[in-house]
């Protein structure tokens, strides 16, 4: 089996959040209403153990069709659901899909507070923060 990339693990971790109420992935869909985007922006591999520690930029995107106002409250709520999962002590065993090995997320914790990203011409609400995952292949 293949070792999954940090992006695959981050996406699988987001998709495993109960009651997220949004799709999750690395590329924004064309028809966006609620979406959580994961982008690996750094990290430090463990020197002596096979543990990955990527830093993931999390963007919560929400749009309301026909509205001139971005739905900031909904985007903030979506980000808060992701943050709440980071504080769970029991992180799930993830299966990114064939042909990749399952992974165990040892911990997840925020590195920054959620912040608004203003000035979107399409009137999307976008709330962003950084999160670090610690994971390994069991």
């Amino acid at each position: 089996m293949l070792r999954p990339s940090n992006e695959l693990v981050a996406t699988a971790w987001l998709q495993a959040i109960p009651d997220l109420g949004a799709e999750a992935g690395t590329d924004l869909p064309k028809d966006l209403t609620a979406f959580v985007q994961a982008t690996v922006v750094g990290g430090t591999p463990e020197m002596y153990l096979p543990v990955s520690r990527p830093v993931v930029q999390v963007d919560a995107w929400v749009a309301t069709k026909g509205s001139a106002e971005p739905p900031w409250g909904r985007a903030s709520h979506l980000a808060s659901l992701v943050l709440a999962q980071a504080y769970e002590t029991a992180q799930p065993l993830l299966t990114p899909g064939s042909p990749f090995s399952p992974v165990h997320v040892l911990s997840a914790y925020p590195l920054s507070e959620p912040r608004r990203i203003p000035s979107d011409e399409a009137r999307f609400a976008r709330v962003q923060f950084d999160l670090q995952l610690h994971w390994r292949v069991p």
Side-chain angles (χ1 to χ4, degrees):
M1 296 194 96
L2 301 176
R3 181 180 171 87
S5 68
N6 288 322
E7 282 184 338
L8 279 173
V9 173
T11 299
W13 184 82
L14 288 169
Q15 291 171 344
I17 296 174
D19 302 320
L20 185 60
E23 293 181 45
T26 56
D27 298 321
L28 290 175
K30 290 181 181 179
D31 189 21
L32 173 71
T33 53
F35 189 77
V36 180
Q37 183 179 26
T39 306
V40 176
V41 295
T44 307
E46 177 63 48
M47 185 182 298
Y48 299 108
L49 298 171
V51 175
S52 294
R53 300 183 305 182
V55 174
V56 180
Q57 175 181 301
V58 176
D59 291 282
W61 297 83
V62 179
T64 303
K65 294 182 183 197
S67 176
E69 292 299 317
W72 291 111
R74 289 181 52 218
S76 293
H77 176 69
L78 198 53
S80 73
L81 291 174
V82 176
L83 283 174
Q85 182 64 32
Y87 292 113
E88 289 294 321
T89 54
Q91 295 294 335
L93 179 69
L94 302 174
T95 52
S98 183
F100 298 101
S101 298
V103 298
H104 184 235
V105 175
L106 305 170
S107 64
Y109 57 90
L111 298 176
S112 65
E113 290 289 335
R115 58 199 172 271
R116 282 186 181 195
I117 306 296
S119 303
D120 187 281
E121 299 284 331
R123 310 308 293 163
F124 295 138
R126 178 180 170 203
V127 174
Q128 180 183 90
F129 66 95
D130 296 323
L131 177 80
Q132 187 160 33
L133 297 175
H134 291 186
W135 67 272
R136 66 177 175 84
V137 174

